[in-house]
Amino acid sequence: MTPSLTIAIDGPAASGKGTIARQVALRYGLRHLDTGLLYRAVASLCAEEGIALEDAVAAGERATRLVPSDLEREGLRSAAAGRGASVVAAHPSVRAALLRWQRDFAEKAPGAVLDGRDIGTVVLPDARAKLFITADPDVRAARRWRELSETRNIAYRDVLRDIEERDARDAARSNAPMRQADDADLLDTTDMTITDAVAEAARLIDGRLNR
Ligand code: DC
């Protein structure tokens, strides 16, 4: 069997990693999984079913019963779902339940691009190419604010605070914290347009694949 081609793309909220991951998947003919959606779906199901986000046992059990259609639930892209996701994502029980799902997705031919926080370090340590995408917090907050203000009235300072809190929680947790893998290329998109960032990501990945 030909091994699947896997590409890991990690980084903090609103770094551009989702857009880059989608474009990279198209370029290499791979499937794409936004792994943040898994954590967002678990948080949203817990909220709906009266499970406290802090309840590691119940949230972990709920995560074992996630089905693909749960990723299409309404409201998963909201700031509230992102906050909830960051809380349930700190539970080892939730991470363990979602690990198998992510690996199964990646292993199916022809392979996949996964974006998240721990893809290069934990989920796919043997990925053929790894990127860690970042940008200054105020630039990321401005991007997210523009996106969110298309559908509702939201203050920039609330978006910035939300991003800073989420970054801190995602980087500080003891289980699979957000971190650049030792063998990942760093891409700082602070001063880049998304078109430039995608082009630079492709250049870095081509360099890895041609080694
Ligand atoms: O990428 P995102 O904003 O949709 O992710 C939402 C939250 O999910 C994020 O704050 C932390 C968590 N997450 C994680 O812990 N590990 C991943 N691989 C992806 C997301």
Side-chain angles (χ1 to χ4, degrees), residues 33-191:
L33 179 64
D34 167 359
T35 65
L37 273 186
L38 303 177
Y39 295 91
R40 286 170 182 262
V42 171
S44 147
L45 287 161
C46 285
E48 185 176 284
E49 296 170 17
I51 298 170
L53 299 179
E54 294 73 21
D55 185 339
V57 174
E61 191 282 325
R62 189 62 190 85
T64 61
R65 292 186 288 112
L66 203 68
V67 293
S69 59
D70 290 332
L71 305 190
E72 281 144 39
R73 291 171 65 79
E74 240 176 74
L76 289 191
R77 306 267 175 201
S78 70
R83 266 194 304 279
S86 177
V87 175
V88 296
H91 303 317
S93 53
V94 170
R95 303 202 74 81
L98 299 181
L99 185 60
R100 193 64 259 163
W101 174 312
Q102 296 171 79
R103 288 188 178 153
D104 285 348
F105 184 95
E107 279 160 14
K108 289 198 185 84
V113 180
L114 269 61
D115 74 85
R117 302 290 188 291
D118 63 336
I119 308 302
T121 50
V122 174
V123 179
L124 302 174
D126 298 326
R128 288 277 307 282
K130 300 179 183 179
L131 292 182
F132 191 85
I133 318 268
T134 189
D136 289 349
D138 50 336
V139 169
R140 290 190 281 121
R143 289 176 186 161
R144 185 51 55 87
W145 177 80
R146 270 197 300 276
E147 216 174 272
L148 293 171
S149 14
E150 278 174 20
T151 50
R152 69 194 182 100
N153 205 350
I154 185 162
Y156 166 79
R157 67 174 178 283
D158 291 342
V159 178
L160 177 62
R161 192 186 52 226
D162 194 61
I163 280 190
E164 287 176 338
E165 280 175 10
R166 216 136 64 81
D167 283 358
R169 195 162 38 226
D170 294 343
R173 66 174 177 240
S174 50
N175 189 243
M178 170 174 70
R179 142 178 116 66
Q180 181 181 349
D182 295 338
D183 54 351
D185 287 314
L186 179 67
L187 176 53
D188 186 333
T189 66
T190 303
D191 298 316

